[in-house]
Amino acid sequence: MLRWADVAAVIFDMDGLVLDTEKTYRMAWREAGRAMHQDLPDVFLEALSGLSMDAVLRTIEGFCGPGFDPSEFNRLSAACWRDYVAARGIEVKRGFHSLRDYLDREGIPYCLATNSAAANAEECLQLAGLGGVFSTIITRDQVERGKPAPDIFLKAAAALGVSIDRCIVLEDSSAGIEAAFNAGALPVMAPSALPVDAATVARCKFVLNDLGELLGVMNC
C-alpha cells in the first residue's frame, strides 16, 4: 500500500491532468485537418493524448500521407486553438485545487512536468488562472526526449532534489504513465479518455476518477 510517508514529492502532468486542454487541442487539430481537406477521426485524435507536439505532427503526417504540410497544419491549428481559448478560457480539472491545498498544508513539494513547450505551458496556465502556482516547471524544450521517454520526470525529480522512486507522478495518458513507469516513479492515473488499456493500468499504483480521489486512497 502506498502512503504519504513513502512520498517525497508529487509531479503533475499538465494537459488533460491539471488543465482540461486535450479537448481544445483535438478540436483545433480536427478543424485544421478540415481546412486541409483531411478527415481526422476522433479515435485517432484521442490516441495522440500525452504526446509532444513534434510527435503529434509526425503521427498526423504519417496518417495523412504524401503532400501533407505539417508546418501549415501547425499554423492553422494554433490559430484555431487561440481563438477558442481566448473566447472560452481553459478549465482546471476537478480535484486539482483540493489536492494542491493538501500538499501545501503538509509541506509536500510538487512541480509540473509537461510535454508542452515552455511558452505554451505558461500561456495555458495563465489562461486557466494558475500562473505562478508552480514554482518549478519542466517542459519538453528542457530535455532531449519527450514522453513516453522518462527524461522529463527524471529532470523534475532532480529539480526538486528528491529521488524519483519516491515521487508520485500524476498522469492522464498512457504515454505519460509509460514515461513515469520507465523513470522508476510511482505512477498514478486520472484518465482524460476511456477506456484505459490493461498494460497501462498494470503500471499504475492507482487509477482515479479525478485528482481529489488521491486524498481518499492515500489517507485510508
Side-chain angles (χ1 to χ4, degrees):
M1 174 178 290
L2 184 60
R3 304 166 303 165
W4 284 114
D6 304 319
V7 176
V10 175
I11 302 173
F12 290 86
D13 174 45
M14 184 181 76
D15 293 308
L17 189 281
V18 170
L19 304 183
D20 195 9
T21 48
E22 295 288 1
K23 66 182 182 183
T24 69
Y25 296 148
R26 289 194 296 268
M27 175 280 305
W29 296 335
R30 188 181 302 109
E31 292 304 312
R34 287 173 180 165
M36 298 175 70
H37 309 291
Q38 297 284 350
D39 180 25
L40 302 177
D42 287 345
V43 67
F44 170 74
L45 294 176
E46 288 170 0
L48 303 177
S49 176
L51 297 179
S52 61
M53 194 58 202
D54 53 347
V56 166
L57 290 175
R58 287 195 304 270
T59 305
I60 293 176
E61 184 176 12
F63 180 87
C64 293
F68 178 78
D69 184 346
S71 296
E72 177 65 2
F73 180 88
N74 195 35
R75 184 189 71 79
L76 289 169
S77 62
C80 183
W81 181 83
R82 286 195 167 83
D83 286 345
Y84 184 91
V85 297
R88 297 168 177 82
I90 295 176
E91 295 179 13
V92 178
K93 295 291 288 281
R94 186 174 62 184
F96 170 71
H97 289 299
S98 60
L99 177 54
R100 175 201 167 203
D101 288 346
Y102 177 85
L103 298 177
D104 283 338
R105 286 197 307 271
E106 298 299 317
I108 300 172
Y110 58 90
C111 71
L112 192 74
T114 174
N115 251 352
S116 291
N120 182 250
E122 184 59 36
E123 181 179 16
C124 287
L125 291 169
Q126 291 289 345
L127 285 165
L130 296 182
V133 165
F134 293 96
S135 58
T136 300
I137 300 175
I138 306 301
T139 58
R140 173 64 183 89
D141 35 7
Q142 294 177 263
V143 295
E144 182 178 350
R145 302 174 298 171
K147 304 170 194 176
D151 303 32
I152 285 174
F153 294 136
L154 294 172
K155 188 173 182 67
L160 293 175
V162 297
S163 175
I164 188 64
D165 63 2
R166 296 189 63 210
C167 290
I168 286 180
V169 168
L170 293 165
E171 270 285 353
D172 70 295
S173 70
S174 294
I177 291 296
E178 181 180 350
F181 183 83
N182 289 339
L186 305 166
V188 175
M189 190 177 200
S192 57
L194 296 172
V196 181
D197 63 273
T200 297
V201 171
R203 288 170 166 163
C204 297
K205 297 296 182 182
F206 304 113
V207 178
L208 313 171
N209 291 309
D210 63 67
L211 291 175
E213 284 191 357
L214 184 63
L215 299 177
V217 297
M218 292 285 286
N219 289 330
C220 64

